[in-house]
Amino acid sequence: MLKIGDFSKLAHVTVKTLRHFGRVGLLRPAHVDRFSGYRYYGLEQLPRLNRILALKDLGFSLEQVAGMLDEQLSLDNLRG
């Protein structure tokens, strides 16, 4: 498990972005410390984050991205 700051550095996104993605349900932390509220992420969450960022870069809204993540669209479908 990585602390939110370490995960953000590894993924090249801000902590603020990760918190926002968690609030809107796109990328929730793998674990939240119940006493401190500190967020932890796993390396297995990197592909999902990269997919979110790629879809955002293509101009999709976060709402559209959420729908696409749930549908698990293939690369060919996204290109279309």
Side-chain angles (χ1 to χ4, degrees), residues 7 18-19 21-32 39-42 45 48 52:
F7 189 74
L18 290 174
R19 287 184 178 148
F21 287 171
R23 271 193 307 275
V24 298
L26 287 175
L27 185 70
R28 298 187 193 275
H31 174 73
V32 177
R39 301 155 195 244
Y40 294 89
Y41 293 83
Q45 292 178 285
R48 182 176 176 94
I52 293 167

Side-chain angles (χ1 to χ4, degrees), residues 13-57:
V13 297
T14 65
V15 169
K16 184 177 177 180
T17 297
L18 290 174
R19 287 184 178 148
H20 181 66
F21 287 171
R23 271 193 307 275
V24 298
L26 287 175
L27 185 70
R28 298 187 193 275
H31 174 73
V32 177
D33 185 278
R34 66 181 182 168
F35 298 109
S36 67
Y38 211 78
R39 301 155 195 244
Y40 294 89
Y41 293 83
L43 289 176
E44 69 278 356
Q45 292 178 285
L46 273 175
R48 182 176 176 94
L49 176 59
N50 288 333
R51 189 171 178 108
I52 293 167
L53 296 172
L55 291 169
K56 261 189 66 191
D57 286 345

Side-chain angles (χ1 to χ4, degrees), residues 26 55 59-71 73:
L26 287 175
L55 291 169
F60 293 103
S61 70
L62 291 181
E63 185 176 282
Q64 291 170 318
V65 169
M68 290 178 197
L69 288 173
D70 292 341
E71 293 176 19
L73 296 174

